[in-house]
Amino acid sequence: MVDITDIPVEGYERVRRAVDPKSGLHAIISVHNTVLGPALGGMRLWPYASEQEALTDVLRLSSGMTYKAACAGLNLGGGKSVIIGDPSMKSEAFFEAMGDFVESFDGQYITAEDVNTKVEDMDIINRRTKHVTGLAGKSGNPSPKTAWGVFLGLKATLEDVYGSDSVAGKTIAIEGAGSVGKVYAELIAKEGGKIIVADIKQEAAEDLAKVTGGQVVHPDAIRSVECDVYAPCALGGSINDETLPLLNCRAICGAANNQLMDVRHGELLRDRGIRYAPDYVVNAAGLINVYDEMQPGGYKEDRAMANMELIRENMRKIFAIADEEGIPTATAADRFAERRIEAVRSGVEQA
Ligand code: NAD
Protein backbone atom coordinates (compact mmCIF):
# COMPACT_ATOMS: atom_id res chain seq x y z
CA MET A 1 0.00 0.00 0.00
CA VAL A 2 1.39 3.38 -1.00
CA ASP A 3 1.57 5.77 1.96
CA ILE A 4 0.55 9.25 0.74
CA THR A 5 0.88 12.38 2.90
CA ASP A 6 0.29 16.07 2.19
CA ILE A 7 3.13 18.61 2.42
CA PRO A 8 1.60 22.08 2.89
CA VAL A 9 3.48 24.67 0.80
CA GLU A 10 2.39 28.29 0.52
CA GLY A 11 1.51 29.35 -3.02
CA TYR A 12 0.99 25.76 -4.21
CA GLU A 13 -2.39 24.09 -4.57
CA ARG A 14 -1.34 20.60 -3.50
CA VAL A 15 2.00 18.94 -2.75
CA ARG A 16 2.16 15.31 -1.67
CA ARG A 17 4.75 12.67 -0.87
CA ALA A 18 4.36 8.95 -1.51
CA VAL A 19 6.38 6.20 0.13
CA ASP A 20 6.00 2.54 -0.78
CA PRO A 21 8.51 0.32 1.04
CA LYS A 22 7.49 -2.71 -1.03
CA SER A 23 8.48 -1.30 -4.43
CA GLY A 24 11.05 1.19 -3.07
CA LEU A 25 9.11 4.20 -4.37
CA HIS A 26 9.74 7.59 -2.71
CA ALA A 27 8.23 10.41 -4.71
CA ILE A 28 6.73 13.90 -4.55
CA ILE A 29 4.06 15.39 -6.80
CA SER A 30 3.54 19.15 -6.83
CA VAL A 31 0.52 20.90 -8.30
CA HIS A 32 1.33 24.59 -8.46
CA ASN A 33 -1.66 26.18 -10.15
CA THR A 34 -4.74 24.95 -12.02
CA VAL A 35 -6.46 28.23 -12.96
CA LEU A 36 -6.05 27.48 -16.68
CA GLY A 37 -6.67 23.73 -16.46
CA PRO A 38 -5.31 20.47 -15.01
CA ALA A 39 -1.64 20.53 -14.06
CA LEU A 40 0.42 18.68 -16.65
CA GLY A 41 4.11 18.00 -16.11
CA GLY A 42 6.67 15.25 -16.51
CA MET A 43 7.83 12.58 -14.09
CA ARG A 44 11.52 12.88 -13.27
CA LEU A 45 13.58 10.08 -11.74
CA TRP A 46 16.75 11.43 -10.15
CA PRO A 47 19.16 10.37 -7.36
CA TYR A 48 18.45 13.41 -5.17
CA ALA A 49 20.66 13.56 -2.08
CA SER A 50 17.68 14.23 0.19
CA GLU A 51 13.91 14.68 0.16
CA GLN A 52 14.46 18.41 0.74
CA GLU A 53 16.51 18.64 -2.45
CA ALA A 54 13.77 16.78 -4.35
CA LEU A 55 11.10 19.06 -2.89
CA THR A 56 12.99 22.20 -3.90
CA ASP A 57 13.32 20.83 -7.44
CA VAL A 58 9.69 19.74 -7.84
CA LEU A 59 8.38 23.08 -6.55
CA ARG A 60 10.52 25.04 -8.96
CA LEU A 61 9.73 22.75 -11.88
CA SER A 62 5.98 22.74 -11.25
CA SER A 63 5.70 26.54 -11.05
CA GLY A 64 7.79 26.68 -14.24
CA MET A 65 5.16 24.47 -15.91
CA THR A 66 2.41 26.92 -14.91
CA TYR A 67 4.29 29.71 -16.68
CA LYS A 68 5.21 27.56 -19.66
CA ALA A 69 1.61 26.46 -20.31
CA ALA A 70 0.25 29.96 -19.79
CA CYS A 71 2.72 31.49 -22.26
CA ALA A 72 2.10 28.73 -24.80
CA GLY A 73 -1.62 29.56 -24.79
CA LEU A 74 -2.56 26.13 -23.41
CA ASN A 75 -5.44 25.50 -21.05
CA LEU A 76 -3.21 23.69 -18.61
CA GLY A 77 -1.90 24.33 -15.14
CA GLY A 78 1.54 23.57 -13.77
CA GLY A 79 2.58 20.36 -12.04
CA LYS A 80 5.51 17.99 -11.85
CA SER A 81 6.54 14.78 -10.15
CA VAL A 82 9.94 13.67 -8.93
CA ILE A 83 10.98 10.20 -7.87
CA ILE A 84 13.96 9.99 -5.55
CA GLY A 85 16.28 7.20 -6.64
CA ASP A 86 18.60 5.70 -9.16
CA PRO A 87 17.25 4.78 -12.63
CA SER A 88 18.38 1.17 -11.90
CA MET A 89 15.55 0.81 -9.34
CA LYS A 90 12.87 0.89 -12.05
CA SER A 91 10.44 -2.05 -11.97
CA GLU A 92 6.82 -2.70 -12.90
CA ALA A 93 5.77 -2.59 -9.23
CA PHE A 94 7.61 0.71 -8.84
CA PHE A 95 5.71 2.39 -11.69
CA GLU A 96 2.40 0.80 -10.70
CA ALA A 97 2.81 2.39 -7.26
CA MET A 98 3.60 5.68 -8.98
CA GLY A 99 0.43 5.22 -11.08
CA ASP A 100 -1.59 4.92 -7.84
CA PHE A 101 0.07 8.10 -6.58
CA VAL A 102 -0.86 10.02 -9.75
CA GLU A 103 -4.41 8.64 -9.51
CA SER A 104 -4.71 10.01 -5.96
CA PHE A 105 -4.83 13.51 -7.52
CA ASP A 106 -8.05 12.56 -9.32
CA GLY A 107 -7.14 14.36 -12.56
CA GLN A 108 -5.75 17.51 -10.94
CA TYR A 109 -2.31 16.29 -12.05
CA ILE A 110 -1.53 14.64 -15.41
CA THR A 111 1.86 13.05 -15.89
CA ALA A 112 4.24 12.47 -18.82
CA GLU A 113 7.79 11.24 -19.38
CA ASP A 114 10.76 13.35 -18.28
CA VAL A 115 14.40 12.86 -17.32
CA ASN A 116 15.07 9.10 -16.81
CA THR A 117 11.48 8.03 -17.53
CA LYS A 118 10.35 6.64 -20.87
CA VAL A 119 7.24 5.93 -22.91
CA GLU A 120 7.32 2.27 -21.70
CA ASP A 121 7.19 3.48 -18.09
CA MET A 122 4.14 5.64 -18.91
CA ASP A 123 2.44 2.56 -20.32
CA ILE A 124 2.85 0.85 -16.92
CA ILE A 125 1.57 3.98 -15.12
CA ASN A 126 -1.46 3.83 -17.42
CA ARG A 127 -2.49 0.49 -15.82
CA ARG A 128 -3.35 2.42 -12.63
CA THR A 129 -4.44 5.83 -13.93
CA LYS A 130 -5.74 7.39 -17.12
CA HIS A 131 -4.13 10.71 -16.18
CA VAL A 132 -1.00 10.10 -18.23
CA THR A 133 0.09 11.44 -21.62
CA GLY A 134 2.86 10.57 -24.05
CA LEU A 135 1.82 6.92 -24.35
CA ALA A 136 3.10 4.69 -27.15
CA GLY A 137 1.28 5.32 -30.42
CA LYS A 138 0.15 8.84 -29.44
CA SER A 139 2.18 12.06 -29.59
CA GLY A 140 5.44 10.10 -29.15
CA ASN A 141 8.89 11.37 -28.22
CA PRO A 142 8.61 15.11 -27.42
CA SER A 143 12.31 15.93 -27.91
CA PRO A 144 12.34 16.55 -31.69
CA LYS A 145 9.30 18.80 -31.28
CA THR A 146 10.96 20.67 -28.42
CA ALA A 147 14.00 21.17 -30.66
CA TRP A 148 11.77 22.55 -33.41
CA GLY A 149 10.19 25.01 -30.97
CA VAL A 150 13.60 26.18 -29.71
CA PHE A 151 14.59 26.65 -33.36
CA LEU A 152 11.52 28.89 -33.88
CA GLY A 153 12.59 30.79 -30.76
CA LEU A 154 16.09 31.13 -32.22
CA LYS A 155 14.64 32.65 -35.39
CA ALA A 156 12.71 35.23 -33.35
CA THR A 157 15.84 35.99 -31.33
CA LEU A 158 18.05 36.44 -34.39
CA GLU A 159 15.41 38.68 -35.96
CA ASP A 160 15.40 40.77 -32.80
CA VAL A 161 19.19 41.03 -32.47
CA TYR A 162 20.28 41.17 -36.13
CA GLY A 163 17.12 42.33 -37.93
CA SER A 164 16.93 39.07 -39.92
CA ASP A 165 15.86 35.61 -38.81
CA SER A 166 18.40 33.92 -41.08
CA VAL A 167 20.52 31.30 -39.34
CA ALA A 168 22.99 31.11 -42.23
CA GLY A 169 26.49 32.08 -41.14
CA LYS A 170 25.55 32.46 -37.49
CA THR A 171 27.54 30.52 -34.88
CA ILE A 172 25.56 28.70 -32.22
CA ALA A 173 27.31 27.17 -29.20
CA ILE A 174 25.37 24.09 -28.13
CA GLU A 175 25.88 22.89 -24.54
CA GLY A 176 24.54 19.33 -24.42
CA ALA A 177 24.32 17.04 -27.45
CA GLY A 178 21.36 15.09 -26.03
CA SER A 179 17.88 14.39 -27.39
CA VAL A 180 16.99 18.06 -27.89
CA GLY A 181 20.45 19.59 -28.45
CA LYS A 182 21.23 17.14 -31.24
CA VAL A 183 18.07 17.83 -33.28
CA TYR A 184 18.33 21.58 -32.62
CA ALA A 185 21.93 21.60 -33.92
CA GLU A 186 20.93 19.61 -36.99
CA LEU A 187 18.16 22.12 -37.81
CA ILE A 188 20.65 24.98 -37.43
CA ALA A 189 23.28 23.28 -39.61
CA LYS A 190 20.68 22.47 -42.28
CA GLU A 191 20.02 26.21 -42.66
CA GLY A 192 23.70 27.07 -42.87
CA GLY A 193 24.45 27.85 -39.23
CA LYS A 194 27.81 26.94 -37.69
CA ILE A 195 27.86 24.63 -34.69
CA ILE A 196 30.22 24.58 -31.73
CA VAL A 197 29.30 21.75 -29.36
CA ALA A 198 30.26 20.44 -25.94
CA ASP A 199 29.00 17.49 -23.96
CA ILE A 200 30.34 15.73 -20.89
CA LYS A 201 29.96 12.63 -23.05
CA GLN A 202 32.80 13.39 -25.47
CA GLU A 203 31.53 10.86 -28.00
CA ALA A 204 28.08 12.51 -28.20
CA ALA A 205 29.73 15.87 -28.93
CA GLU A 206 32.03 14.35 -31.54
CA ASP A 207 29.17 12.54 -33.30
CA LEU A 208 27.13 15.73 -33.46
CA ALA A 209 30.09 17.74 -34.74
CA LYS A 210 30.56 15.16 -37.48
CA VAL A 211 26.91 15.28 -38.59
CA THR A 212 26.73 19.10 -38.53
CA GLY A 213 30.24 19.91 -39.76
CA GLY A 214 30.78 21.59 -36.41
CA GLN A 215 33.57 21.89 -33.90
CA VAL A 216 33.89 20.32 -30.44
CA VAL A 217 35.07 22.21 -27.37
CA HIS A 218 35.51 21.09 -23.77
CA PRO A 219 32.37 21.49 -21.58
CA ASP A 220 34.26 24.05 -19.47
CA ALA A 221 34.87 26.18 -22.56
CA ILE A 222 31.43 26.24 -24.21
CA ARG A 223 30.15 29.21 -22.19
CA SER A 224 33.05 31.43 -23.12
CA VAL A 225 33.47 30.62 -26.82
CA GLU A 226 32.88 33.46 -29.21
CA CYS A 227 29.50 32.89 -30.85
CA ASP A 228 26.29 34.60 -31.87
CA VAL A 229 24.05 32.50 -29.65
CA TYR A 230 24.84 30.36 -26.62
CA ALA A 231 22.36 27.46 -26.41
CA PRO A 232 22.12 25.72 -23.02
CA CYS A 233 20.66 22.28 -23.78
CA ALA A 234 22.00 20.31 -20.80
CA LEU A 235 21.06 21.09 -17.20
CA GLY A 236 19.60 24.16 -15.50
CA GLY A 237 21.50 26.94 -13.73
CA SER A 238 24.17 27.31 -16.39
CA ILE A 239 23.85 31.10 -16.28
CA ASN A 240 25.21 32.05 -12.87
CA ASP A 241 27.67 34.37 -11.13
CA GLU A 242 30.63 32.34 -12.37
CA THR A 243 29.61 31.87 -16.00
CA LEU A 244 27.87 35.15 -16.73
CA PRO A 245 31.04 37.28 -17.01
CA LEU A 246 32.54 34.68 -19.38
CA LEU A 247 29.74 34.74 -21.96
CA ASN A 248 30.92 35.86 -25.37
CA CYS A 249 27.62 35.89 -27.27
CA ARG A 250 24.93 38.30 -28.41
CA ALA A 251 22.01 36.13 -27.34
CA ILE A 252 20.99 32.99 -25.47
CA CYS A 253 18.44 30.52 -26.80
CA GLY A 254 18.44 26.92 -25.62
CA ALA A 255 16.24 24.10 -24.39
CA ALA A 256 17.32 23.60 -20.78
CA ASN A 257 14.83 24.37 -18.02
CA ASN A 258 15.71 27.01 -15.40
CA GLN A 259 18.77 28.35 -17.20
CA LEU A 260 19.10 31.38 -14.93
CA MET A 261 20.47 30.40 -11.52
CA ASP A 262 18.59 33.34 -10.03
CA VAL A 263 16.19 36.03 -11.31
CA ARG A 264 18.88 38.68 -10.88
CA HIS A 265 20.90 36.95 -13.61
CA GLY A 266 18.21 38.09 -16.08
CA GLU A 267 18.97 41.67 -15.04
CA LEU A 268 22.72 41.10 -15.35
CA LEU A 269 22.31 39.68 -18.88
CA ARG A 270 20.35 42.78 -19.81
CA ASP A 271 23.12 44.98 -18.40
CA ARG A 272 25.62 43.11 -20.56
CA GLY A 273 23.44 43.60 -23.66
CA ILE A 274 22.86 39.85 -24.11
CA ARG A 275 19.35 39.07 -25.37
CA TYR A 276 17.93 36.13 -23.44
CA ALA A 277 15.15 34.00 -24.94
CA PRO A 278 13.34 32.81 -21.79
CA ASP A 279 13.69 29.03 -21.45
CA TYR A 280 10.10 28.09 -20.75
CA VAL A 281 8.85 30.13 -23.70
CA VAL A 282 11.13 28.56 -26.30
CA ASN A 283 11.12 25.00 -24.93
CA ALA A 284 7.31 24.68 -24.81
CA ALA A 285 6.84 22.72 -28.06
CA GLY A 286 7.05 19.32 -26.36
CA LEU A 287 4.23 20.43 -24.09
CA ILE A 288 2.23 21.86 -27.01
CA ASN A 289 2.70 18.49 -28.74
CA VAL A 290 1.53 16.37 -25.84
CA TYR A 291 -1.39 18.74 -25.13
CA ASP A 292 -2.69 17.93 -28.58
CA GLU A 293 -3.46 14.39 -27.38
CA MET A 294 -6.16 15.93 -25.17
CA GLN A 295 -7.85 17.77 -28.07
CA PRO A 296 -10.97 16.68 -29.97
CA GLY A 297 -10.24 13.68 -32.17
CA GLY A 298 -6.97 12.92 -30.38
CA TYR A 299 -3.42 13.73 -31.47
CA LYS A 300 -2.91 15.38 -34.86
CA GLU A 301 0.69 16.22 -35.71
CA ASP A 302 -0.21 18.96 -38.24
CA ARG A 303 -2.32 20.79 -35.69
CA ALA A 304 0.36 20.48 -33.02
CA MET A 305 3.08 21.76 -35.39
CA ALA A 306 0.88 24.71 -36.43
CA ASN A 307 0.34 25.62 -32.77
CA MET A 308 4.11 25.67 -32.18
CA GLU A 309 4.34 28.75 -34.41
CA LEU A 310 3.01 30.64 -31.39
CA ILE A 311 6.48 30.37 -29.85
CA ARG A 312 7.90 32.73 -32.45
CA GLU A 313 5.01 35.17 -32.04
CA ASN A 314 5.26 35.06 -28.25
CA MET A 315 8.97 35.78 -28.36
CA ARG A 316 8.29 38.92 -30.40
CA LYS A 317 5.68 40.04 -27.84
CA ILE A 318 7.98 39.28 -24.90
CA PHE A 319 10.91 41.20 -26.42
CA ALA A 320 8.50 44.12 -26.98
CA ILE A 321 7.24 44.01 -23.35
CA ALA A 322 10.85 43.93 -22.11
CA ASP A 323 11.73 47.02 -24.16
CA GLU A 324 8.54 48.96 -23.42
CA GLU A 325 8.68 48.30 -19.68
CA GLY A 326 12.47 48.43 -19.36
CA ILE A 327 12.69 44.98 -17.76
CA PRO A 328 14.69 41.81 -18.44
CA THR A 329 13.15 39.40 -20.96
CA ALA A 330 12.76 36.72 -18.27
CA THR A 331 10.63 39.12 -16.20
CA ALA A 332 8.70 40.11 -19.32
CA ALA A 333 7.87 36.43 -19.93
CA ASP A 334 6.65 36.06 -16.34
CA ARG A 335 4.41 39.10 -16.74
CA PHE A 336 3.09 37.80 -20.08
CA ALA A 337 2.12 34.50 -18.39
CA GLU A 338 0.76 36.13 -15.22
CA ARG A 339 -1.46 38.48 -17.25
CA ARG A 340 -3.11 35.53 -18.99
CA ILE A 341 -3.63 33.63 -15.72
CA GLU A 342 -5.04 36.74 -14.05
CA ALA A 343 -7.38 37.45 -16.99
CA VAL A 344 -8.79 33.93 -16.70
CA ARG A 345 -8.93 33.99 -12.89
CA SER A 346 -10.87 37.26 -12.90
CA GLY A 347 -13.20 36.15 -15.70
CA VAL A 348 -12.00 38.77 -18.23
CA GLU A 349 -10.89 35.96 -20.53
CA GLN A 350 -11.97 32.37 -20.96
CA ALA A 351 -9.39 29.61 -20.67
P1 NAD B 1 19.33 14.64 -22.55
O1 NAD B 1 19.59 13.99 -21.23
O2 NAD B 1 18.95 13.79 -23.70
O3 NAD B 1 20.60 15.51 -22.99
C1 NAD B 1 21.33 16.29 -22.13
C2 NAD B 1 22.79 16.21 -22.59
O4 NAD B 1 23.54 17.16 -21.84
C3 NAD B 1 23.43 14.85 -22.34
O5 NAD B 1 24.03 14.39 -23.53
C4 NAD B 1 24.45 15.11 -21.23
O6 NAD B 1 25.59 14.30 -21.34
C5 NAD B 1 24.79 16.57 -21.49
N1 NAD B 1 25.33 17.30 -20.35
C6 NAD B 1 25.02 17.19 -19.04
N2 NAD B 1 25.74 18.06 -18.32
C7 NAD B 1 26.51 18.75 -19.19
C8 NAD B 1 27.48 19.79 -19.05
N3 NAD B 1 27.76 20.33 -17.87
N4 NAD B 1 28.07 20.25 -20.17
C9 NAD B 1 27.79 19.74 -21.37
N5 NAD B 1 26.90 18.74 -21.56
C10 NAD B 1 26.28 18.26 -20.49
O7 NAD B 1 18.20 15.74 -22.24
P2 NAD B 1 17.24 16.44 -23.29
O8 NAD B 1 15.94 15.73 -23.33
O9 NAD B 1 17.98 16.73 -24.55
O10 NAD B 1 16.93 17.82 -22.53
C11 NAD B 1 17.91 18.83 -22.45
C12 NAD B 1 17.39 19.95 -21.57
O11 NAD B 1 16.18 20.47 -22.12
C13 NAD B 1 17.05 19.53 -20.13
O12 NAD B 1 17.34 20.60 -19.27
C14 NAD B 1 15.53 19.32 -20.18
O13 NAD B 1 14.93 19.53 -18.92
C15 NAD B 1 15.12 20.41 -21.16
N6 NAD B 1 13.86 20.13 -21.85
C16 NAD B 1 13.72 19.00 -22.59
C17 NAD B 1 12.52 18.77 -23.23
C18 NAD B 1 12.33 17.52 -24.08
O14 NAD B 1 11.35 17.46 -24.83
N7 NAD B 1 13.24 16.56 -24.01
C19 NAD B 1 11.47 19.68 -23.13
C20 NAD B 1 11.66 20.85 -22.39
C21 NAD B 1 12.87 21.06 -21.74
Side-chain angles (χ1 to χ4, degrees):
M1 195 58 195
V2 185
D3 181 28
I4 298 172
T5 44
D6 286 312
I7 309 174
V9 181
E10 211 188 318
Y12 288 74
E13 289 183 15
R14 183 180 279 177
V15 184
R16 295 180 137 182
R17 106 171 31 81
V19 178
D20 178 34
K22 205 166 152 212
S23 64
L25 180 75
H26 183 184
I28 306 174
I29 296 180
S30 167
V31 170
H32 174 246
N33 185 297
T34 57
V35 170
L36 298 178
L40 194 152
M43 180 179 290
R44 178 167 296 196
L45 170 57
W46 195 255
Y48 295 102
S50 63
E51 188 185 87
Q52 187 54 47
E53 192 184 297
L55 180 64
T56 304
D57 204 32
V58 77
L59 294 180
R60 197 170 175 207
L61 290 165
S62 60
S63 61
M65 291 304 293
T66 300
Y67 282 82
K68 187 187 295 204
C71 266
L74 308 177
N75 294 330
L76 288 176
K80 200 88 182 182
S81 50
V82 294
I83 306 175
I84 303 164
D86 192 86
S88 64
M89 31 187 329
K90 280 186 185 189
S91 69
E92 290 202 15
F94 182 86
F95 281 113
E96 282 178 352
M98 195 58 196
D100 289 339
F101 187 26
V102 172
E103 180 61 18
S104 79
F105 281 76
D106 205 17
Q108 189 189 19
Y109 170 67
I110 302 170
T111 199
E113 66 174 283
D114 198 81
V115 177
N116 289 327
T117 59
K118 301 257 171 294
V119 173
E120 309 84 88
D121 306 325
M122 295 304 119
D123 286 336
I124 302 172
I125 301 260
N126 189 219
R127 293 178 194 162
R128 300 301 184 100
T129 181
K130 64 178 190 315
H131 304 299
V132 50
T133 55
L135 299 170
K138 294 203 175 169
S139 68
N141 178 4
S143 303
K145 301 295 193 295
T146 299
W148 174 248
V150 182
F151 185 66
L152 294 174
L154 174 68
K155 291 226 153 227
T157 306
L158 292 174
E159 184 183 67
D160 180 78
V161 173
Y162 295 102
S164 155
D165 73 356
S166 173
V167 178
K170 295 288 182 289
T171 301
I172 319 294
I174 307 272
E175 177 178 75
S179 314
V180 182
K182 180 175 180 294
V183 179
Y184 181 38
E186 285 169 1
L187 289 165
I188 293 165
K190 210 168 147 200
E191 282 206 12
K194 294 181 200 151
I195 298 296
I196 302 176
V197 57
D199 197 294
I200 48 171
K201 294 178 201 147
Q202 176 76 7
E203 207 183 317
E206 278 167 10
D207 287 350
L208 186 56
K210 217 176 278 167
V211 177
T212 57
Q215 174 200 340
V216 177
V217 296
H218 191 271
D220 291 342
I222 192 75
R223 293 152 187 176
S224 55
V225 284
E226 188 180 351
C227 60
D228 294 289
V229 180
Y230 163 54
C233 298
L235 301 179
S238 70
I239 299 154
N240 53 49
D241 286 339
E242 245 173 68
T243 60
L244 206 139
L246 305 174
L247 294 172
N248 198 356
C249 58
R250 295 282 304 278
I252 298 174
C253 181
N257 283 313
N258 301 325
Q259 291 168 28
L260 303 180
M261 185 60 100
D262 190 273
V263 278
R264 69 191 165 77
H265 294 115
E267 189 77 56
L268 293 169
L269 284 175
R270 184 166 165 265
D271 293 347
R272 282 210 49 201
I274 297 174
R275 205 59 149 162
Y276 171 60
D279 44 19
Y280 65 74
V281 183
V282 297
N283 74 15
L287 184 64
I288 295 172
N289 197 51
V290 89
Y291 178 71
D292 203 81
E293 285 184 16
M294 297 157 71
Q295 299 314 298
Y299 180 67
K300 294 199 172 59
E301 189 176 23
D302 291 357
R303 179 176 57 193
M305 295 294 287
N307 286 337
M308 289 168 202
E309 287 295 323
L310 196 65
I311 291 176
R312 192 199 297 239
E313 267 172 57
N314 284 345
M315 282 311 309
R316 289 184 183 133
K317 287 183 188 160
I318 286 162
F319 286 143
I321 293 173
D323 292 344
E324 278 158 23
E325 302 185 18
I327 53 176
T329 53
T331 312
D334 288 356
R335 288 198 187 163
F336 184 71
E338 282 158 5
R339 282 170 193 163
R340 179 161 178 248
I341 294 169
E342 200 35 52
V344 172
R345 196 200 306 270
S346 61
V348 174
E349 246 180 54
Q350 280 216 310

